[in-house]
Amino acid sequence: MTPKEQILQEIEQVPDSLLTETLDFLLFLKARYAEDFPTPAEASQIAAAQAAYQDGDYVTLDTYEAEQA
């Protein structure tokens, strides 16, 4: 049985008052771990930046500083 199946089975046996606390805890966990994982848009930007870097499409610090002067 998967963890999701186990959770669903337990939910069926728990009183509603405990479900409210369970939901609050689940939402807390989702918010906490959402910060650790990029959104799909962020993941796309990260992949594009990595590809550009691998292709040599970047400015070195020396070049950047020279352009600012």
Side-chain angles (χ1 to χ4, degrees):
M1 182 180 292
T2 68
K4 185 175 183 176
E5 292 169 335
Q6 287 178 301
I7 290 170
L8 291 173
Q9 182 180 358
E10 291 297 324
I11 285 174
E12 293 297 325
Q13 300 172 11
V14 173
D16 286 347
S17 60
L18 189 55
L19 285 178
T20 302
E21 279 189 65
T22 304
L23 177 60
D24 286 344
F25 183 64
L26 179 60
L27 294 173
F28 163 76
L29 288 175
K30 282 179 63 177
R32 180 176 170 194
Y33 287 101
E35 297 171 2
D36 295 339
F37 299 101
T39 65
E42 291 169 333
S44 176
Q45 290 174 340
I46 291 168
Q50 288 173 331
Y53 177 78
Q54 289 174 348
D55 290 342
D57 185 14
Y58 58 89
V59 175
T60 65
L61 180 59
D62 292 335
T63 303
Y64 174 78
E65 287 176 344
E67 290 174 356
Q68 299 303 309

